[in-house]
Amino acid sequence: MNDNHKIQIPSGGSFRRPAGPYDLESRLPRYDVEVLAVDDHASHQVEIDSEIMGSVGNYTWIWKIVNNSSWPVFITLKKNGIPE
């Protein structure tokens, strides 16, 4: 995977960003996060949460990610399986 799509979150850091528009009826597009950490223990300490904000016909998917590990982690945001 190309490193241009990786975002670093430092230890104890957080990240919040709109992923993009979202259709509640079709449930598309599909957004996902890939976490790259020093080990599985650090990876499991990354909290990935999302919410949908907006009004009828104009919804936005929002990512909220917190790194609770003692190591920095890298994340890759994906839309329909393609790195953003």
Side-chain angles (χ1 to χ4, degrees), residues 37-55:
V38 67
D39 59 20
D40 284 341
H41 182 70
S43 181
H44 290 299
Q45 292 182 21
V46 177
E47 293 178 28
I48 300 172
D49 196 11
S50 63
E51 63 185 4
I52 299 169
M53 299 179 74
S55 57

Side-chain angles (χ1 to χ4, degrees), residues 2-78:
N2 188 333
D3 285 342
N4 292 337
H5 297 290
K6 287 188 174 39
I7 299 164
Q8 183 176 358
I9 302 177
S11 172
S14 63
F15 176 83
R16 181 179 169 99
R17 184 172 107 178
Y22 185 71
D23 185 335
L24 284 176
E25 290 183 23
S26 67
R27 296 184 173 199
L28 294 173
R30 301 204 188 281
Y31 294 106
D32 193 21
V33 173
E34 181 179 288
V35 176
L36 178 63
V38 67
D39 59 20
D40 284 341
H41 182 70
S43 181
H44 290 299
Q45 292 182 21
V46 177
E47 293 178 28
I48 300 172
D49 196 11
S50 63
E51 63 185 4
I52 299 169
M53 299 179 74
S55 57
V56 176
N58 189 26
Y59 293 105
T60 301
W61 187 284
I62 308 290
W63 284 117
K64 297 187 300 180
I65 303 169
V66 178
N67 179 10
N68 293 315
S69 77
S70 57
W71 291 89
V73 297
F74 293 90
I75 61 167
T76 300
L77 304 177
K78 295 182 177 184

